[in-house]
Amino acid sequence: MTLMNNIQEWILLLLIFGVISAIGNWIGYGILPLAAVPGMIVLILVSLAGLILQKLLKVNIPSVAYVALIGIIISLPGFPGSETVVRWTTEVNLLALATPILAYAGIAIGRSWTDFKKLGWRSVVVAMLVMVGTFLGSALIAELVLRMQGII
Amino acid sequence: MVEKGIWKDWRLHAIVFGLVILTEAIGTHQFSVGPGVILLLPMLYAMVIGLILFFTPVVKNKQSKNAEPLIVLGVTLLIAKIGVIIGPSIEGIIEAGPALLLQEFGNLGTIFLALPVAVFLGMKRESIGMTHSIAREPNVGLIMDKYGFNSPEGRGVMAIYIFGTVFGAIFLGLISGFLATITPLHPLSFAMASGVGSGSMMAAASGSLIAAFPALEQDIIAYAGASNLLSLSTGLYMSIFIGLPLTEKMYNALSKRKESKKNAVKKGA
């Protein structure tokens, strides 16, 4: 599949995703879809640029790294137009983007359910502790350092 | 990465559209468990209902397959949003740089908490694969590469990977708000902890924090996002150079102690 085909498919899927989250953004967070459109378009363009960059530069870096970097750069204080970028994208709530992601994820993980059922209770206990351990471990160190620095 | 024509799967998009309308209309609910608070977010209902729908005729196998690339694209939008939040607060992020970098070592907490329990529950070398990290894709690759797909370590890492895929976001979403309200630790410390290296887990964990501490929204997103990017870029090396060797050493020590205890009991009896 050529890059052009890829780009076309990405644009269509990002637009579908954008429309769905703009409606969620309205219902859940009271932001009118029209107000969210400019910000959503900015986010779609940033995503698209990151996805294309990842294909063009044949370095083994995940596309989200490019997406994050582009997003950070265009919103840095002093970058031309950054205030507009920030003002527009503020109208797109982060949680409104997360809801459709997890809706798609719920539908997708159904196929892992058979594997999941095979896990015994011991594995489930250990899995939960793995998550708690990672989460609490990081929080504890962050707390310590942030306090030492006087940030919190 | 993306197969052609998934945008035409109107059935899939209509289901998600319906789920989003329904779950956002229900909104966030919270209930207290002792002194802590558990937050139920629209994204968590959406995931659970989506999973339930998979077992009904509404969702066919095709939809389930087509949904995967949309998670990837949705996460890029989420990361773009996080990027434009980090940009304006870059000074704060740099200031918090030492905490951000050092808390990555906290990911090793799994080894100290989960490994002893795994060994106690009678697991053998599976426990090494299970507890050396939070077992997202790069770590699954690492274990398969080092021990092989059919090794006990490989089975172990797959078990955690599967649990994380199915319940990781829901579980972290539930415990992050709870731990942040029940422990004396600051919400921003938990924000940094939310970046475990998976987009959906980070969204759920930081989402709960935002719902519990709305005044800190911008900082929570910036810290969680920055930490997630760090986890993505350093996580694998952390496992190769520290996590996995440490797990191996601790496993050997723990299983030896268990053996000698067993022998002692036998001799005693």
Side-chain angles (χ1 to χ4, degrees):
Chain A
M1 196 160 55
T2 65
L3 183 61
M4 277 322 282
N5 285 341
N6 256 329
I7 294 174
Q8 190 190 10
E9 181 82 12
W10 285 333
I11 293 176
L12 288 165
L13 289 177
L14 286 168
L15 282 175
I16 292 172
F17 196 98
V19 170
I20 294 176
S21 24
I23 300 295
N25 197 41
W26 178 28
I27 300 174
Y29 311 94
I31 302 165
L32 286 172
L34 220 54
V37 164
M40 193 65 86
I41 291 174
V42 169
L43 295 180
I44 289 177
L45 289 176
V46 170
S47 301
L48 207 55
L51 288 164
I52 294 171
L53 215 55
Q54 202 263 345
K55 282 270 181 225
L56 287 181
L57 307 175
K58 294 187 164 49
V59 198
N60 193 15
I61 299 174
S63 46
V64 286
Y66 293 109
V67 173
L69 203 63
I70 299 168
I72 293 171
I73 291 172
I74 62 164
S75 62
L76 280 177
F79 190 86
S82 68
E83 277 167 32
T84 317
V85 165
V86 173
R87 196 173 64 242
W88 283 350
T89 51
T90 306
E91 302 293 328
V92 180
N93 193 298
L94 180 95
L95 297 175
L97 291 172
T99 306
I101 293 176
L102 290 198
Y104 280 112
I107 292 169
I109 56 175
R111 290 187 305 138
S112 309
W113 190 256
T114 20
D115 293 325
F116 177 74
K117 269 199 312 189
K118 284 188 212 141
L119 300 179
W121 67 268
R122 286 186 189 87
S123 299
V124 172
V125 170
V126 174
M128 287 181 176
L129 289 176
V130 165
M131 304 208 132
V132 175
T134 304
F135 189 66
L136 261 185
S138 297
L140 279 170
I141 296 182
E143 177 85 16
L144 204 73
V145 183
L146 286 174
R147 270 198 201 176
M148 272 164 39
Q149 285 187 280
I151 294 177
I152 53 171
Chain B
M1 177 189 76
V2 179
E3 266 179 64
K4 224 174 146 39
I6 289 173
W7 62 276
K8 284 187 241 165
D9 191 345
W10 61 268
R11 193 187 178 97
L12 170 65
H13 308 304
I15 294 167
V16 170
F17 193 39
L19 278 177
V20 166
I21 292 176
L22 174 76
T23 57
E24 291 291 2
I26 298 172
T28 302
H29 287 264
Q30 57 180 69
F31 59 92
S32 308
V33 179
V37 175
I38 289 191
L39 290 124
L40 301 176
L41 303 179
M43 65 172 110
L44 300 184
Y45 319 138
M47 191 171 195
V48 173
I49 303 173
L51 177 61
I52 294 171
L53 286 179
F54 176 82
F55 298 101
T56 68
V58 177
V59 172
K60 302 200 163 59
N61 216 28
K62 184 183 156 202
Q63 275 77 48
S64 183
K65 268 204 185 107
N66 285 350
E68 270 170 30
L70 271 139
I71 308 171
V72 179
L73 286 176
V75 168
T76 62
L77 274 179
L78 186 82
I79 302 286
K81 164 76 186 172
I82 291 170
V84 298
I85 288 181
I86 292 180
S89 28
I90 194 77
E91 271 181 38
I93 295 284
I94 293 172
E95 199 195 343
L100 274 167
L101 285 172
L102 290 171
Q103 58 85 31
E104 287 296 315
F105 289 94
N107 292 347
L108 302 171
T110 164
I111 302 167
F112 300 104
L113 188 67
L115 182 61
V117 177
V119 173
F120 173 77
L121 289 174
M123 284 164 179
K124 303 281 184 237
R125 293 193 65 86
E126 286 86 353
S127 57
I128 295 174
M130 291 178 100
T131 63
H132 81 287
S133 76
I134 200 157
R136 295 327 294 159
E137 284 82 355
N139 284 99
V140 173
L142 170 66
I143 296 291
M144 296 306 175
D145 188 52
K146 189 154 184 208
Y147 302 96
F149 191 82
N150 265 320
S151 60
E153 293 87 347
R155 282 195 300 277
V157 77
M158 277 316 286
I160 308 301
Y161 176 74
I162 291 162
F163 177 88
T165 305
V166 177
F167 279 122
I170 295 172
F171 183 71
L172 270 186
L174 293 179
I175 65 163
S176 81
F178 183 68
L179 287 174
T181 47
I182 202 174
T183 65
L185 301 187
H186 199 276
L188 289 180
S189 304
F190 283 108
M192 285 190 183
S194 303
V196 291
S198 143
S200 54
M201 289 187 202
M202 180 210 55
S206 56
S208 282
L209 295 174
I210 295 169
F213 306 95
L216 294 172
E217 174 169 356
Q218 298 291 312
D219 284 342
I220 290 172
I221 298 174
Y223 281 9
S227 155
N228 203 53
L229 284 173
L230 268 180
S231 294
L232 277 174
S233 45
T234 64
L236 186 58
Y237 303 101
M238 181 78 85
S239 294
I240 294 175
F241 295 114
I242 307 176
L244 202 47
L246 185 65
T247 315
E248 286 260 12
K249 277 217 175 80
M250 263 189 69
Y251 171 80
N252 288 336
L254 283 166
S255 52
K256 244 182 222 153
R257 217 170 92 192
K258 206 178 167 189
E259 278 304 307
S260 62
K261 247 190 200 164
K262 234 194 240 164
N263 291 339
V265 171
K266 266 184 203 154
K267 271 178 205 158

